[in-house]
Amino acid sequence: MRRENTQVVPLGKMNVGGHNPIWVEAMGRQHPKNVERCLAEITLAQEAGCEIFRLAVPDEDALQGLARMKPHLDIPLIADVHFRLDLGIQAALLGVEAIRINPGTIGKKEHLAQLVEVLRSWNTTLRLGANTGSLPPRWKKTDRVKALLESLREIVHFFEQKGVTKIILSAKSTEIEETILIYEQLSTSFPYPLHIGLTEAGSGVEGIIKSSIALGILLREGIGNNIRVSLTASTPILETKVAWSILESLKLRHRNIEIISCPTCARKRGNVVSLVQELKKRTKHMEIKKPVKIAIMGCEVNGPGEAKEADWGIALSKGEKAVLFAKGEIVTVVSQKEALTKLLERAIPSIIE
Ligand code: SF4
């Protein structure tokens, strides 16, 4: 399932590609000139599981903010620049771990030689990210998949010729089918790790579903070394959580307890929704050492049987009682009020050991 034959590219202390985990990337909403807000946003994203943070660097004010922020951060930063390679060069000099440029928005070519120099001497990684919405002008009349691929081929060749090979590639579309086709071709055309994502997926459920389908299919094909879920939201928290859910659903990473819960029906014997919420709250900051599944089921008639693959579970029972079970076998009966506490008392040692 994993495409492990990519080159391994450093990103600060982290490595991307090969046998390394598929890292979760998120992008900041704040302008870097708002240093305090930006730092707070990054901290929250890290708490949600973000492992690589991308920041737009649109102007000199952003560089100043970056200079103040960088010493306080322990997460690899990618400075995202459009039309201003000079800003990318300055960001590299400030110690960001990678510069992201788009072949369609390079701007003045005269800065390319200097960028090459800085990337080589500062050991900075280059993320080349093409996008169907910003293809270089001469590729605009070509088939979009071909255009993305060829524009990347051209720029990769340019950097390789200059000795820059610490490269991570991405080529994004707003369309699921197109995204899959592009990445399938990228994965057989280049040896570099791939950052995968569906660009401008939208907001809420629609955006989550579109991203999950596109990224799920790619990851199932073994394609992708770090992922970003691009959602319209005022913070990067949701996109980080969704990225983790996608990876966990495919068993590619585990960070949180996997919760199995029934949709409930007329047979339910209590409030499954609030129990699930409470379980999430209580286990949110737990350091999980191995994958673990906990089931919350609405009734004891079907609960333990339907969730027998769960390591631990609660099935609600009549009289405000709850059955605790492990691998489908009933362990004890407790009151619904104390069910979660009793379950976690038993389960936690095996989760965090
Ligand atoms: S476990 Fe019980 S309450 Fe939940 S959906 Fe199945 S039958 Fe309904």
Side-chain angles (χ1 to χ4, degrees):
M1 186 163 160
R2 294 277 309 277
R3 174 181 170 251
E4 291 175 334
N5 59 346
T6 70
Q7 283 185 16
V8 175
V9 171
L11 197 61
K13 291 182 204 143
M14 186 181 266
N15 285 315
V16 182
H19 293 272
N20 290 291
I22 300 166
W23 304 113
V24 172
E25 179 176 323
M27 187 154 181
R29 280 22 176 203
Q30 300 292 330
H31 192 294
K33 70 182 175 191
N34 302 319
V35 173
E36 298 309 322
R37 269 189 248 158
C38 219
L39 284 173
E41 182 176 64
I42 296 173
T43 303
L44 287 175
Q46 277 186 284
E47 281 171 12
C50 171
E51 296 164 307
I52 300 170
F53 201 81
R54 183 151 54 111
L55 276 171
V57 179
D59 50 34
E60 278 74 8
D61 286 349
L63 282 177
Q64 285 186 16
L66 202 52
R68 287 175 53 204
M69 262 187 285
K70 188 70 182 85
H72 302 285
L73 293 171
D74 61 352
I75 185 169
L77 280 189
I78 302 178
D80 188 291
V81 294
H82 290 286
F83 301 109
R84 297 276 313 264
L85 289 186
D86 57 316
L87 294 173
I89 293 163
Q90 293 304 320
L93 297 176
L94 290 172
V96 298
E97 283 70 15
I99 306 298
R100 185 266 168 142
I101 62 172
N102 177 337
T105 61
I106 292 234
K108 290 184 186 158
K109 298 256 182 350
E110 69 219 39
H111 291 301
L112 270 173
Q114 207 187 339
L115 178 66
V116 166
E117 199 44 49
V118 169
L119 290 173
R120 286 175 44 181
S121 47
W122 282 73
N123 214 17
T124 311
T125 296
L126 176 65
R127 182 139 91 69
L128 291 171
N131 198 308
T132 48
S134 50
L135 284 163
R138 70 182 173 293
W139 295 109
K140 282 201 170 137
K141 290 206 174 104
T142 319
D143 162 80
R144 294 211 301 183
V145 173
K146 189 164 178 252
L148 276 182
L149 207 65
E150 291 310 316
S151 66
L152 272 178
R153 207 188 295 281
E154 200 173 74
I155 196 159
V156 166
H157 183 68
F158 168 83
F159 280 105
E160 283 177 339
Q161 293 285 306
K162 309 283 180 200
V164 174
T165 52
K166 292 188 186 94
I167 298 173
I168 299 172
L169 292 176
S170 72
K172 296 187 188 175
S173 158
T174 52
E175 301 293 325
I176 294 173
E177 196 59 37
E178 207 168 51
T179 299
I180 293 164
L181 275 175
I182 292 164
Y183 276 100
E184 284 174 346
Q185 295 194 29
L186 280 184
S187 70
T188 53
S189 304
F190 299 98
Y192 301 111
L194 298 178
H195 160 107
I196 59 171
L198 181 84
T199 195
E200 293 139 23
S203 67
V205 174
E206 292 87 354
I208 292 171
I209 288 178
K210 278 168 77 179
S211 290
S212 305
I213 293 172
L215 298 186
I217 290 172
L218 286 173
L219 290 166
R220 190 66 188 80
E221 290 180 11
I223 298 170
N225 304 94
N226 82 298
I227 75 171
R228 190 225 166 175
V229 172
S230 170
L231 293 177
T232 306
S234 55
T235 77
I237 310 302
L238 182 61
E239 66 179 56
T240 304
K241 289 182 175 172
V242 173
W244 270 102
S245 286
I246 295 171
L247 292 174
E248 288 183 319
S249 302
L250 290 165
K251 311 250 182 287
L252 289 165
R253 302 274 311 266
H254 64 269
R255 178 170 195 266
N256 297 301
I257 285 170
E258 185 180 344
I259 299 176
I260 299 171
S261 57
C262 80
T264 79
C265 70
R267 293 185 196 91
K268 70 176 182 290
R269 297 289 192 178
N271 194 334
V272 173
V273 177
S274 68
L275 256 182
V276 169
Q277 281 166 351
E278 185 61 23
L279 175 61
K280 281 187 181 171
K281 205 166 105 191
R282 291 207 209 171
T283 55
K284 192 163 71 174
H285 297 296
M286 235 175 238
E287 210 170 308
I288 310 294
K289 296 283 189 239
K290 58 184 180 199
V292 63
K293 287 183 195 170
I294 294 185
I296 307 283
M297 307 298 280
C299 74
E300 63 183 313
V301 182
N302 289 342
E306 282 181 13
K308 61 175 176 287
E309 78 276 21
D311 299 290
W312 297 92
I314 295 173
L316 301 181
S317 180
K318 62 183 173 192
E320 299 198 357
K321 297 276 183 210
V323 171
L324 303 194
F325 59 92
K327 300 274 183 203
E329 299 295 324
I330 293 174
V331 177
T332 185
V333 179
V334 295
S335 75
Q336 288 188 12
K337 251 191 196 151
E338 59 181 356
L340 206 49
T341 304
K342 294 283 179 205
L343 181 99
L344 289 174
E345 273 171 17
R346 288 165 191 265
I348 281 174
S350 65
I351 295 170
I352 60 173
E353 250 162 29

